[in-house]
Amino acid sequence: MQVRHFIDGEWCESGQWSESLDPANAGIIGRFADGGLHEAQAAVDAAARAFADPQWSQNPRLRQQILLDWAAALKDRQEELANLLTRENGKALAQSRGEVGGAISEILYYAGLARHIPGHVLEVAPGEFSTMLREPAGVAGLIIPWNAPAVLLVRALAPALAAGCTCVIKPAPQTALFNAAFLEPLLQLPTLPRGSVNLFAETGHAGAAYLVATPKVDVLSFTGSTATGTRIMQDAAPTMKKLSLELGGKSCCLVFEDTVISTVAHKLAAAATIISGQQCTAARRVLVHASRLADMKKALTAALAGIRLGHGLEATTQMGPLIDWRSRDLVGQRIAESMESCDEVLLAGGQPGGALSAGAFLSPTLIAHRDSGAFFCQEEIFGPLLILEAFEDEAEAIARANHTEFGLSASVWTHDTARAMRVARALRNGTVWINDHNKLFAEAETGGYRKSGLGRLHGYDALLDFTELKHVYQNVGTL
Ligand code: NAD
């Protein structure tokens, strides 16, 4: 398999190619054109020319039809794409199928919204009208991560296109093949105006940095770590462009004394090991009422120890490898340091041997600790590490959960419905699940408080990240 850039309506190469590897076994899946600054500049110029044409930016019916046609073409390739996603990212095939299906559903959601981006009109005085017009922001730069490259591409691209922006997409190099394959049916549409959607891949960062720094990009959407998000905010500041930043998290799961621990433990083990712990909202800290700590230790250890590792294409696999060997080593090192300094190691994970030794695998680790200020309770460690803490009462549970610089998501586990709502209200997070975890929907806005980011993706509000509000005043006089 070989994929190229798509700039100004043409597939193109740039002298250099890079390989994409299967993280489960180091096999070569294919190669992608490896670009940089030159491709980013050409793509932004093409997008700026396309935006100037009102036949795109002022034509919601065309934009809806294009989104509908893309979704229809993807449906024919769903299984093939899920397969490629598993091979390139490593996640279990059932998760890839769910992700590709969810992404198609989300394109349909924004296809509908493309024709419903209303402003409003106010009569401010006799004969004087203020029209508030919601307009597309302009050229959108989209930097997409590797952990969920279908859904996280669509949740930025579909609202950007629905709103009437033109786009430049920069996928993560780890999933460049999948992103090109997923976008191909859109890019091939004869009705897609030249330059309205552009794609380039790079193993370096020069192209991405250009998208951030150039005043020709009006809105920049980035999903990735808080460290890179902070750098992007600084580098974008001179241009004052709009920023949509979906960053890191450290999700707490608050488990009260009235729950069935064995059932909750299984759900939390799955929530912690989803995409091998490489999901921004994955369960990271389990806070359990002190009276149930011993039960939770036993149940969580058993649930995590029972998770089956393997190649994502094997039917028995519940958890695949990490995205690459570099990540495995960095995350593995941080987990080893956590095990050295925590109060108690309940399950020591690590690199499996045998048939899995060539892959970037790490089995799950569970530790228990009292001090929520410990580095492993505060830092986002992007892999299969779960930390268990105890609390005495509701106030302590909330204080512990809010003791973090992140604010992406959390879950509350109790059958006391008033307590569930009270605690959900007190948590400083963009999403709180009650008796569940990791439930994300096209319709429901997702985003972070504090260092977990700016703006919201998914839902109607994602459109706001890609629009400007214009006030048009007119005095028409009175009769
Ligand atoms: P990362 O921060 O390493 O981002 C990598 C991307 O940033 C690459 O595409 C790279 O080209 C680009 N980049 C690097 N330097 C840049 C610069 N100076 N200017 C512009 N772009 C630059 O993140 P990652 O490891 O790819 O992804 C994992 C992180 O993503 C985790 O922190 C996770 O929590 C977060 N994440 C958040 C959400 C969310 O919805 N909040 C969803 C998924 C992942």
Side-chain angles (χ1 to χ4, degrees):
M1 183 177 188
Q2 179 168 297
V3 305
R4 292 176 290 168
H5 314 297
F6 187 82
I7 297 171
D8 203 14
E10 309 280 346
W11 295 99
C12 54
E13 314 173 355
S14 37
Q16 203 175 323
W17 294 86
S18 287
E19 283 173 346
S20 180
L21 304 183
D22 182 335
N25 56 24
I28 297 170
I29 308 169
R31 59 180 202 155
F32 59 92
D34 188 352
L37 179 61
H38 172 73
E39 287 72 18
Q41 287 170 331
V44 168
D45 287 345
R49 285 192 297 275
F51 186 72
D53 184 351
Q55 284 313 318
W56 176 257
S57 59
Q58 299 175 26
N59 196 345
R61 292 180 183 202
L62 170 67
R63 302 198 303 266
Q64 177 188 54
Q65 195 56 53
I66 279 171
L67 289 169
L68 291 174
D69 291 348
W70 180 27
L74 284 171
K75 277 194 175 151
D76 296 337
R77 302 194 197 174
Q78 224 165 320
E79 190 59 18
E80 174 200 328
L81 285 166
N83 212 282
L84 178 58
L85 176 53
T86 286
R87 288 175 65 214
E88 205 175 24
N89 165 284
K91 67 178 71 177
L93 185 58
Q95 288 177 24
S96 295
R97 285 184 177 136
E99 183 181 337
V100 170
I104 295 172
S105 164
E106 186 148 355
I107 296 170
L108 295 175
Y109 172 76
Y110 284 107
L113 286 185
R115 284 170 65 177
H116 188 72
I117 307 180
H120 55 271
V121 182
L122 306 164
E123 190 169 34
V124 292
E128 293 179 58
F129 292 93
S130 283
T131 300
M132 306 307 298
L133 193 60
R134 200 159 274 289
E135 295 186 334
V139 174
L142 313 177
I143 303 176
I144 309 299
W146 44 261
N147 62 342
V151 161
L152 301 185
L153 167 74
V154 166
R155 74 171 185 177
L157 177 61
L161 296 180
C165 290
T166 56
C167 297
V168 178
I169 302 156
K170 207 292 288 176
Q174 293 94 333
T175 45
L177 300 183
F178 174 79
N179 272 140
F182 192 88
L183 284 162
E184 192 191 14
L186 167 68
L187 304 177
Q188 301 284 44
L189 289 174
T191 43
L192 184 75
R194 189 185 183 97
S196 53
V197 184
N198 304 273
L199 167 72
F200 76 94
E202 62 176 357
T203 49
H205 303 311
Y210 175 77
L211 298 182
V212 171
T214 177
K216 295 181 186 174
V217 168
D218 302 284
V219 49
L220 192 286
S221 177
F222 170 76
T223 299
S225 68
T226 297
T228 309
T230 307
R231 171 79 195 271
I232 285 176
M233 206 168 172
Q234 285 164 347
D235 293 350
T239 68
M240 213 60 86
K241 63 174 49 103
K242 287 167 74 76
L243 291 176
S244 155
L245 299 175
E246 298 289 337
L247 309 177
K250 190 82 176 175
S251 290
C252 285
C253 313
L254 290 69
V255 184
F256 287 89
E257 57 272 31
D258 62 335
T259 51
V260 180
I261 294 290
S262 55
T263 311
V264 175
H266 270 100
K267 292 187 177 174
L268 293 179
T273 55
I274 186 168
I275 327 178
S276 309
Q278 302 167 112
Q279 178 155 316
C280 52
T281 59
R284 306 281 185 208
R285 295 169 60 202
V286 172
L287 315 184
V288 65
H289 189 267
S291 66
R292 311 301 304 274
L293 179 63
D295 294 344
M296 185 59 101
K297 279 184 180 175
K298 224 166 116 188
L300 255 186
T301 305
L304 286 167
I307 286 177
R308 287 184 302 274
L309 270 65
H311 194 292
L313 292 179
E314 283 162 21
T316 51
T317 295
Q318 292 173 304
M319 191 175 118
L322 269 68
I323 189 65
D324 54 25
W325 292 264
R326 185 175 166 272
S327 262
R328 179 200 62 183
D329 293 345
L330 288 172
V331 169
Q333 176 64 29
R334 237 28 204 146
I335 292 177
E337 288 161 9
S338 310
M339 284 196 278
E340 272 165 31
S341 55
C342 69
D343 293 343
E344 189 180 1
V345 177
L346 295 159
L347 179 66
Q351 295 178 26
L356 301 184
S357 58
F361 290 92
L362 271 186
S363 63
T365 294
L366 177 65
I367 60 179
H369 200 66
R370 273 163 302 197
D371 174 14
S372 59
F375 80 85
F376 46 84
C377 294
Q378 292 296 320
E379 197 180 291
E380 183 186 46
I381 298 173
F382 215 51
L385 168 68
L386 193 57
I387 302 148
L388 189 52
E389 300 168 43
F391 61 81
E392 294 294 337
D393 56 26
E394 203 175 296
E396 188 191 349
I398 292 164
R400 277 183 176 271
N402 282 338
H403 180 200
T404 170
E405 61 182 16
F406 295 112
L408 191 61
S409 55
S411 56
V412 182
W413 301 77
T414 177
H415 296 298
D416 177 339
T417 53
R419 165 178 275 169
M421 194 60 195
R422 196 163 58 234
V423 174
R425 178 66 183 83
L427 292 172
R428 304 203 59 209
N429 288 98
T431 298
V432 180
W433 296 284
I434 293 170
N435 294 322
D436 221 320
H437 200 97
N438 283 334
K439 305 290 278 189
L440 298 160
F441 304 99
E443 298 86 343
E445 284 79 2
T446 307
Y449 285 28
R450 301 188 277 188
K451 286 197 178 178
S452 288
L454 284 180
R456 293 291 180 270
L457 291 180
H458 298 305
Y460 189 82
D461 279 18
L463 288 171
L464 305 183
D465 281 11
F466 297 100
T467 56
E468 292 279 10
L469 196 60
K470 178 180 280 176
H471 173 200
V472 181
Y473 167 82
Q474 192 177 20
N475 187 341
V476 299
T478 51
L479 290 176

